[in-house]
Amino acid sequence: MRKVNCPYLFLLFGLSLLFTTITYGQTSFPISPSIAQKVNPSLHGINMTSKAGVMFSSINYGEGLSAENNYLYGNMAFRDLNFSIGVDVNSFNLNQLGLKENSIRLSYAYNFRIGVETYFIGGLDVGITAQTLDPSVLIFGDQINEQLGTIVGSSIDPLATIKPSTNYFEIGASGAVFNEKFIVGIHLAHLNSPNISFNKEAKVKKEMAFILNGAVELDVNPYGRGILPQNSYFYGNVYGILHGETTRFFASQELQMNNLSLGFMQSMISYGENSALGMGLVSTISFESFLFKFNYSFASKSNDFNIPTIVELGLRFNF
């Protein structure tokens, strides 16, 4: 067994915890309700429709700290066999800290009728995640000149030459009941509790996550009267998660009018005894088989800790 010094072990342990807190808190929770399969993979099989899409997110934590998240997804529906195969590819980059996470997840969703126009989707998913740290963007103590107040370009600290990386495999199970008016679903993520530590001689387990999601759609102008278009619907979306000490809740309310949808969103996240609230706007424009999305969220002023401002741009195509 290779001998590892204490500073190195401390660095790897701290990085593992940092990755778990930041990347799970941001990359796993989209603002847009139209990509709910990221929260519940079985929804790749809803309505047995094939689709592909992409979502770009710009994340601003304030004080010069920012990140980007790119999410690519798609599924192929096999209507005659009542199942769908989905894929989710995600890339998260926390620029100033050199933290990167890339993941790919494959899912299988089987669809069958359980009542009059009511269906159940059962799903299994497997995924691989790779995480890396680029030490070249970090500043070590020997780079700081206290007399001149400057930072030199390179460090001779042994930790500056180490490029930590890790990868792990995880599995999950999900399901959803739906009809044309509602969706209720559940996702059990990280069932195998993988070791996410950068140092494989230590163990930092990714705890199992328990996720619930739901949605409702109501016709707000069934008789085609008033100022709203005849095809006007209220769409409400909600999901929540329990993952270790972290609890998160999301809700959105949208008014869909023909090809345009506008609405509001609210979010809450708590970690231990601390909590934070967020709010934002969600919007969608559809044209034939294309769906364009723009979403914006920001933190409320009275929070125990900082949550980022997020701008999302997305495109989806049904085929």
Side-chain angles (χ1 to χ4, degrees):
M1 181 179 294
R2 184 172 63 91
K3 184 177 180 180
V4 184
N5 58 49
C6 289
Y8 180 68
L9 287 174
F10 181 78
L11 174 65
L12 297 184
F13 184 78
L15 289 173
S16 300
L17 293 179
L18 179 64
F19 256 126
T20 303
T21 302
I22 294 179
T23 59
Y24 200 92
Q26 302 308 325
T27 65
S28 297
F29 286 91
I31 300 174
S32 177
S34 59
I35 54 174
Q37 76 281 342
K38 194 174 185 182
V39 176
N40 186 332
S42 69
L43 295 180
H44 272 301
I46 194 167
N47 296 326
M48 294 303 294
T49 301
S50 299
K51 59 184 178 294
V54 63
M55 179 71 76
F56 303 102
S57 303
S58 176
I59 305 170
N60 184 4
Y61 294 92
E63 299 181 355
L65 187 61
S66 63
E68 290 90 33
N69 192 79
N70 301 317
Y71 172 53
L72 176 68
Y73 61 94
N75 73 280
M76 179 64 71
F78 299 88
R79 289 179 173 271
D80 294 339
L81 300 175
N82 294 325
F83 76 88
S84 179
I85 299 295
V87 61
D88 301 88
V89 180
N90 200 86
S91 177
F92 177 81
N93 184 9
L94 188 58
N95 304 318
Q96 289 75 16
L97 298 182
L99 302 176
K100 295 182 180 180
E101 179 182 276
N102 297 307
S103 64
I104 182 170
R105 181 178 68 190
L106 297 176
S107 58
Y108 170 87
Y110 188 81
N111 189 318
F112 56 92
R113 187 192 299 266
I114 59 174
V116 179
E117 300 301 322
T118 301
Y119 301 84
F120 174 77
I121 312 171
L124 295 174
D125 58 273
V126 296
I128 298 176
T129 298
Q131 299 172 337
T132 60
L133 170 70
D134 180 8
S136 66
V137 302
L138 302 179
I139 299 174
F140 293 84
D142 64 338
Q143 293 178 264
I144 302 175
N145 188 319
E146 296 180 356
Q147 286 73 32
L148 299 178
T150 59
I151 299 175
V152 299
S154 60
S155 171
I156 60 172
D157 191 308
L159 293 179
T161 63
I162 298 172
K163 295 184 177 180
S165 64
T166 186
N167 57 76
Y168 55 87
F169 171 82
E170 54 187 335
I171 60 176
S174 58
V177 176
F178 75 96
N179 60 25
E180 63 178 9
K181 294 183 178 180
F182 74 88
I183 302 172
V184 177
I186 183 173
H187 181 209
L188 301 178
H190 329 306
L191 288 175
N192 57 326
S193 298
N195 182 15
I196 62 173
S197 175
F198 283 89
N199 172 28
K200 293 307 179 183
E201 297 176 11
K203 290 187 177 181
V204 179
K205 293 290 188 179
K206 192 171 188 178
E207 299 179 74
M208 188 181 76
F210 183 76
I211 305 169
L212 293 174
N213 69 288
V216 62
E217 185 177 76
L218 302 174
D219 190 342
V220 296
N221 192 16
Y223 304 109
R225 300 172 182 173
I227 61 174
L228 293 176
Q230 183 171 355
N231 296 319
S232 296
Y233 300 88
F234 167 82
Y235 183 81
N237 180 67
V238 63
Y239 61 76
I241 179 175
L242 178 62
H243 181 238
E245 293 187 70
T246 303
T247 301
R248 183 157 185 171
F249 175 81
F250 170 96
S252 67
Q253 308 82 35
E254 295 181 74
L255 180 60
Q256 300 177 343
M257 300 169 289
N258 291 329
N259 298 329
L260 175 66
S261 176
L262 297 172
F264 302 94
M265 60 81 63
Q266 306 82 38
S267 66
M268 184 277 291
I269 182 170
S270 66
Y271 182 81
E273 297 180 355
N274 300 312
S275 63
L277 299 175
M279 59 193 72
L281 304 173
V282 293
S283 63
T284 301
I285 298 177
S286 61
F287 177 73
E288 295 182 350
S289 297
F290 291 91
L291 202 68
F292 302 91
K293 296 179 279 289
F294 171 79
N295 307 307
Y296 175 72
S297 72
F298 53 93
S300 66
K301 293 183 179 180
S302 56
N303 284 327
D304 295 328
F305 57 90
N306 182 44
I307 59 175
T309 297
I310 304 177
V311 177
E312 288 185 343
L313 293 174
L315 171 65
R316 191 184 78 190
F317 173 70
N318 296 334
F319 58 92

